[in-house]
Amino acid sequence: MNMQNEYYIYKGLLNKIKEPPTLEEREKCSSITFYAEDLMKWSLEDDPGEEEWKGIPAKRMIEEIDGEKVLRWTGDFSGLRRLNFLKDMEKPSFWVPLSTRTSSVPHFPISQNRHPIVEISYRMQYGKCLPAWTWHYTTGQFFEFLDMDFKWTTVARAWCFNSFPRKMENFALRLYSFTRTKETMYIRSIRFREPTEKEKSLLNKKDILQLGNEKPIHYPVLDNFFPIGAYINANTARNMSHLLKIDLASYLDLLFEDMSLHYHNVAFVEKFYDFLPGDQEVIFETSRKHNIKLIISLEEENVLLDPTKVTSFIKEKEHSIKRYATEENLFGWVIKENPSDAEVDAYIQIKKKIEQIDEKHPVIYLTREANAFPLYSQFSSIAGISHWKSKNPWELGHVLKTHIKFINGQHLWAIGPTFVFGSGAPIWNSAPEIRLMINLAISSGVRGWLSYTYHNIPLWSGGECQRSLTGPFLTFSDVWEELGGRLGRFYSLASLVMSAKPTNPPDFSPDIQSRKHPRSRCPDNVDILLHTWMKGENFWLFYLVNQDTSEVTGTNVNFRSALPEQYRAYDATQFVRSYQWEELPMSFHREMFPGQGQIILIATPEECQRWGEIIMQRIFDYIEQQIFINVELLKPYVSSVEKITDKVKELKEKQSMNTLQKMVEIKNQVTNTIYSTEDIYKVRGKLFEVGAILCACDGVLCRLLSEGKSTVVEKYKEDVLKLAGEFIEYRIGVREGKGKKFLTYIEKTSERLSTILQELRQNVSS
């Protein structure tokens, strides 16, 4: 094939090289090349933890073009009804794979010390699809879209950074489609090779010398603050307040109150600049009212950071950075999510400029696939990585333990999957699976947790997700309730965990025996019980995690060797429930429910007492917050309740175990008052009922849309949105003291929604 008619493109770090290597230079490099005949032996399967490739027909054949054999690879997307309403998305969702996930493909795994460059020669047939490549290594994945080129193109990139990963376990091409058509891609070859001298020189200089000099800044605020947060989206907030016919301030007030009630202290605001300047002020004011700190995204993920445009970027954002740097509830900045290795120069320049403008708040690096994590994590004060696979919570622990090696004194965050895209993936993770992920994250040394995502625009009204933590109408889900309970208890222990680091087991590490339940669905290659150690200055933490997500696991712990002199074992997990330290015997038994974590503190009685006081302070904080929210609800109905606020402040100043018990009594008293105030509890009971019916309507409408029954969806969606607006109006009205007035209206809303739900279900295919 004539090389003059071929484009040669470098991706990633190598894009600094302006002249492509000559054919002679490439032929000199040791390589492993897969031609058309070899690619015929590749698999048409992909990562089982991802859903959107399953069941889509694909075929391949060898075709001769210009005297050379090439692979013609076609995916048939015509049967995917979901593409009817996903075709306008920024990125495609469904693909067919061509991968090395079969024993018939030789040479894998590929070693980075021999062949660190991957190269593909291809062209597209039509313009309604998009190619991508991805590869997996032990506990990690790289993903990148390729260009939609109709002329023969060769793309090359380095697939490892600073000698990581050492091996590529498997490789896959993906062919995505936006529409219900048959799409074709021609592939001449896929090659793994040595770098040329020019490539080697650039990688060594850029990878090691330049980035190694970039050091993360230490921010004291991170030492004792464990972020427990969720993604919120400015565009979603604006659209939903419009669809529900309420002002943005009221929508955000409901949102942040709900987050606070569920013990969250951080919100990451995607598409922040979709808010008008006045709305930006509102979100800071409302989140401050509920003690929620904000992380602000400065740029869209799909916008490429260009070193030549750094000055204009800073000029555009400087005013708002200066303005919001003074806000007490700002937590930090995200330049953009998932930056690529090609953007690292521009990213570093922008990061330095922001740090000059705002010295108090960190620039946070967040990524989805691991991709360029080894590059960015080494100079980031905070680095966050996600795990968005279906029904594989166990992998998160391995991912975090692998990538925490790049964290040297900085903070690693985990981003959990609490959503389902319009494509139907990932499969909704159950409460025990999310519980397990949280425990795996914390026991791996993570210093922050974010859930993606808190809310969504209805899929049947132009949204991208069909499920989220609270759905389109700020209601509830099993996972949201789980997060509220689980993270509420962990909030109290956060200071203790943050003062320790993962370590090797000590000499007195106990013998552990566990009993796997006969009905367990835990994979055979996963240990039913995970135990890790963390070391603080004068204490150890022994962390037990039941990795079974469906059944209880019986566990026996036996300390055969004596603990260090004067040290005792205490149940820290139980302390945040009972507010009393329970000294454990040298041998004890636990029946651990699915996904449960158990934290054992091993310390002297004096050290235990010291940590009890610190934990007690945090318990005071979150109980106080819960009381204040409930008092605000009661004020329009019970005038005497305002006196409780003064009593709470008084008790907090005299902190002790005795006053903590009194705080708990006040919290229970306020809760009981709510349930004994007829104008509140009757209305709230009906509101919960309406919220549940709305969730069901949303789910059925999503299903009807996926079945291609758009006519039915169009018939009912406006009615559902109207009734959802009434639901939100009633929720706000209850807070304003109008509970009794709304009771009859809420009952009518419930009846109308029940009728709609029944009619919708009759249209669903069995």
Side-chain angles (χ1 to χ4, degrees):
M1 195 167 288
N2 190 345
M3 293 293 292
Q4 293 180 346
N5 296 327
E6 176 191 15
Y7 291 103
Y8 196 96
I9 299 172
Y10 277 124
K11 290 273 190 180
L13 293 172
L14 296 177
N15 71 353
K16 288 291 183 183
I17 301 175
K18 300 305 178 185
E19 294 185 3
T22 64
L23 181 60
E24 183 181 7
E25 287 177 308
R26 289 157 60 193
E27 292 298 327
K28 284 182 179 178
C29 298
S30 169
S31 67
I32 299 170
T33 305
F34 297 92
Y35 295 103
E37 293 90 344
D38 306 304
L39 296 174
M40 286 293 293
K41 300 175 185 177
W42 283 29
S43 172
L44 296 177
E45 295 189 354
D46 207 338
D47 183 349
E50 300 187 71
E51 301 298 318
E52 293 99 327
W53 61 271
K54 296 177 181 178
I56 303 175
K59 62 181 181 180
R60 58 208 156 151
M61 59 182 293
I62 295 176
E63 195 170 296
E64 191 168 306
I65 298 179
D66 295 338
E68 185 171 6
K69 291 181 179 179
V70 299
L71 185 79
R72 177 190 172 102
W73 174 41
T74 301
D76 184 357
F77 300 90
S78 58
L80 286 172
R81 291 195 188 99
R82 287 179 184 267
L83 284 176
N84 292 338
F85 55 87
L86 295 176
K87 59 181 180 294
D88 295 327
M89 299 298 178
E90 291 180 358
K91 293 179 181 178
S93 299
F94 293 97
W95 73 89
V96 290
L98 182 66
S99 78
T100 62
R101 290 178 178 269
T102 172
S103 58
S104 63
V105 179
H107 306 301
F108 275 81
I110 303 290
S111 171
Q112 61 84 22
N113 62 358
R114 290 289 308 277
H115 304 112
I117 307 296
V118 59
E119 195 177 77
I120 179 174
S121 295
Y122 72 97
R123 75 170 175 85
M124 311 305 297
Q125 185 181 48
Y126 305 119
K128 299 175 183 177
C129 56
L130 196 60
W133 54 10
T134 184
W135 44 88
H136 290 76
Y137 52 92
T138 304
T139 70
Q141 179 181 2
F142 181 96
F143 175 86
E144 182 177 54
F145 281 111
L146 299 171
D147 297 328
M148 193 190 311
D149 287 306
F150 304 105
K151 293 185 177 180
W152 283 106
T153 301
T154 298
V155 179
R157 71 142 46 244
W159 60 265
C160 54
F161 310 102
N162 289 340
S163 300
F164 180 88
R166 296 192 180 279
K167 293 181 180 180
M168 181 192 294
E169 301 294 336
N170 55 68
F171 174 92
L173 280 180
R174 293 179 176 179
L175 184 58
Y176 287 81
S177 180
F178 290 93
T179 56
R180 296 177 65 180
T181 52
K182 292 182 179 180
E183 302 295 345
T184 296
M185 179 178 182
Y186 293 100
I187 307 162
R188 190 171 65 198
S189 65
I190 296 173
R191 174 178 294 182
F192 300 89
R193 63 173 175 82
E194 287 181 324
T196 65
E197 289 301 319
K198 189 181 292 185
E199 292 165 352
K200 189 182 298 182
S201 175
L202 183 135
L203 287 172
N204 287 342
K205 177 182 178 182
K206 193 171 184 61
D207 237 347
I208 299 171
L209 301 180
Q210 180 179 339
L211 296 181
N213 293 328
E214 300 295 334
K215 303 298 181 184
I217 297 173
H218 173 73
Y219 293 89
V221 68
L222 301 180
D223 293 340
N224 293 301
F225 185 84
F226 191 103
I228 300 171
Y231 280 59
I232 65 173
N233 187 292
N235 186 48
T236 300
R238 290 180 64 227
N239 275 279
M240 289 312 302
S241 62
H242 173 72
L243 288 173
L244 298 171
K245 294 180 170 53
I246 59 170
D247 60 275
L248 181 65
S250 297
Y251 179 88
L252 291 172
D253 194 44
L254 288 172
L255 183 153
F256 286 122
E257 179 188 274
D258 189 37
M259 292 186 74
S260 184
L261 277 169
H262 286 76
Y263 305 100
H264 283 49
N265 53 23
V266 163
F268 172 44
V269 187
E270 291 187 293
K271 298 182 181 290
F272 176 74
Y273 288 93
D274 279 7
F275 281 132
L276 298 173
D279 296 337
Q280 293 173 7
E281 300 289 337
V282 168
I283 192 172
F284 270 98
E285 179 183 346
T286 313
S287 60
R288 182 168 58 249
K289 170 184 170 183
H290 295 290
N291 293 325
I292 304 290
K293 293 185 179 293
L294 298 180
I295 301 168
I296 302 303
S297 176
L298 294 172
E299 189 54 272
E300 300 286 339
E301 183 182 343
N302 60 356
V303 175
L304 187 69
L305 300 179
D306 186 341
T308 65
K309 297 180 180 178
V310 169
T311 301
S312 60
F313 179 96
I314 294 297
K315 186 176 180 180
E316 178 186 344
K317 310 293 185 184
E318 185 173 10
H319 174 75
S320 60
I321 293 173
K322 286 181 177 178
R323 163 67 188 89
Y324 297 118
T326 62
E327 290 286 349
E328 63 185 66
N329 61 320
L330 175 70
F331 185 81
W333 308 97
V334 170
I335 297 173
K336 66 170 283 189
E337 291 182 84
N338 219 30
S340 71
D341 49 329
E343 299 170 278
V344 69
D345 285 339
Y347 186 97
I348 289 175
Q349 292 178 51
I350 293 169
K351 176 176 176 287
K352 287 180 176 178
K353 293 287 186 182
I354 295 172
E355 290 167 347
Q356 291 171 5
I357 297 170
D358 179 8
E359 298 179 352
K360 295 181 179 179
H361 303 103
V363 175
I364 301 165
Y365 165 68
L366 300 178
T367 186
R368 292 182 184 173
E369 291 81 14
N371 284 20
F373 189 92
L375 286 180
Y376 285 91
S377 59
Q378 60 185 309
F379 58 79
S380 298
S381 301
I382 299 170
I385 190 168
S386 66
H387 177 71
W388 290 0
K389 299 296 176 68
S390 294
K391 300 297 179 181
N392 189 3
W394 308 279
E395 189 176 294
L396 176 63
H398 298 302
V399 169
L400 294 170
K401 286 177 180 177
T402 295
H403 293 88
I404 202 169
K405 298 171 184 176
F406 299 100
I407 303 294
N408 184 21
Q410 308 105 286
H411 285 230
L412 177 65
W413 290 3
I415 306 168
T418 56
F419 70 98
V420 178
F421 280 133
S423 63
I427 296 173
W428 183 252
N429 285 278
S430 66
E433 287 166 336
I434 292 295
R435 182 187 308 141
L436 175 58
M437 288 189 211
I438 293 170
N439 280 307
L440 290 175
I442 296 168
S443 64
S444 298
V446 156
R447 294 292 182 262
W449 173 275
L450 294 176
S451 300
Y452 183 91
T453 178
Y454 175 82
H455 57 171
N456 64 281
I457 299 170
L459 185 65
W460 36 271
S461 190
E464 295 184 1
C465 289
Q466 64 184 51
R467 289 195 76 172
S468 60
L469 283 173
T470 64
F473 310 122
L474 305 185
T475 49
F476 49 79
S477 65
D478 59 333
V479 170
W480 187 226
E481 296 309 305
E482 172 64 30
L483 285 171
R486 198 65 41 202
L487 293 175
R489 296 190 186 99
F490 174 71
Y491 175 86
S492 308
L493 295 173
S495 293
L496 176 65
V497 173
M498 293 184 75
S499 298
K501 294 181 179 180
T503 188
N504 293 324
D507 294 338
F508 55 83
S509 183
D511 293 336
I512 302 169
Q513 293 181 334
S514 55
R515 183 185 68 253
K516 188 173 183 177
H517 197 282
R519 293 194 301 271
S520 171
R521 293 197 295 267
C522 193
D524 292 336
N525 63 343
V526 173
D527 292 331
I528 198 71
L529 193 76
L530 181 75
H531 50 92
T532 56
W533 284 89
M534 306 174 82
K535 180 74 172 71
E537 187 174 350
N538 295 305
F539 65 91
W540 282 271
L541 294 179
F542 180 46
Y543 207 131
L544 286 167
V545 180
N546 176 18
Q547 296 203 89
D548 197 324
T549 57
S550 61
E551 303 294 341
V552 169
T553 297
T555 304
N556 292 310
V557 178
N558 181 15
F559 285 91
R560 293 186 181 276
S561 301
L563 299 179
E565 188 177 355
Q566 297 184 352
Y567 275 62
R568 305 286 186 273
Y570 302 92
D571 191 336
T573 309
Q574 184 61 28
F575 179 82
V576 298
R577 297 188 183 97
S578 65
Y579 314 128
Q580 299 291 330
W581 284 115
E582 175 190 344
E583 183 177 337
L584 295 171
M586 295 296 284
S587 296
F588 59 89
H589 176 82
R590 287 288 185 271
E591 291 289 322
M592 300 184 69
F593 55 80
Q596 181 186 359
Q598 190 89 15
I599 300 177
I600 308 300
L601 170 65
I602 297 175
T604 63
E606 294 77 17
E607 183 72 5
C608 176
Q609 183 65 28
R610 186 177 77 85
W611 277 109
E613 293 172 359
I614 295 171
I615 295 168
M616 184 173 62
Q617 166 71 51
R618 298 181 72 89
I619 295 174
F620 264 101
D621 288 343
Y622 81 70
I623 290 180
E624 179 186 36
Q625 181 72 10
Q626 304 287 300
I627 291 174
F628 283 171
I629 290 172
N630 285 332
V631 164
E632 287 299 310
L633 174 63
L634 279 169
K635 276 182 181 179
Y637 302 92
V638 184
S639 57
S640 60
V641 79
E642 291 193 44
K643 297 177 183 178
I644 291 177
T645 304
D646 296 330
K647 181 64 175 176
V648 167
K649 290 179 180 178
E650 181 184 329
L651 288 173
K652 193 175 180 184
E653 290 174 359
K654 302 176 181 178
Q655 286 185 22
S656 67
M657 284 297 176
N658 185 43
T659 55
L660 178 58
Q661 292 291 349
K662 290 181 179 179
M663 280 277 281
V664 174
E665 290 173 8
I666 291 175
K667 178 176 178 290
N668 293 336
Q669 176 190 340
V670 172
T671 302
N672 291 336
T673 303
I674 289 173
Y675 283 100
S676 63
T677 304
E678 188 173 342
D679 289 352
I680 298 179
Y681 79 80
K682 282 190 175 181
V683 174
R684 293 217 326 168
K686 277 293 177 182
L687 284 174
F688 283 129
E689 179 183 297
V690 172
I693 301 171
L694 275 172
C695 287
C697 287
D698 176 45
V700 177
L701 284 166
C702 287
R703 181 169 177 179
L704 288 168
L705 198 63
S706 69
E707 292 177 356
K709 298 175 181 176
S710 56
T711 304
V712 180
V713 173
E714 289 298 320
K715 177 182 176 181
Y716 287 98
K717 75 175 189 179
E718 293 303 326
D719 288 339
V720 173
L721 287 172
K722 180 178 180 297
L723 294 171
E726 291 178 7
F727 166 71
I728 296 295
E729 179 188 351
Y730 302 148
R731 286 180 63 181
I732 295 170
V734 170
R735 285 158 175 74
E736 295 173 348
K738 303 174 184 176
K740 187 175 183 179
K741 171 186 174 183
F742 283 138
L743 184 58
T744 303
Y745 298 111
I746 297 172
E747 288 174 343
K748 290 181 179 179
T749 299
S750 177
E751 290 172 4
R752 283 186 289 168
L753 273 171
S754 296
T755 301
I756 289 174
L757 178 59
Q758 185 177 1
E759 292 175 3
L760 285 171
R761 283 174 169 166
Q762 289 172 355
N763 286 278
V764 173
S765 300
S766 58

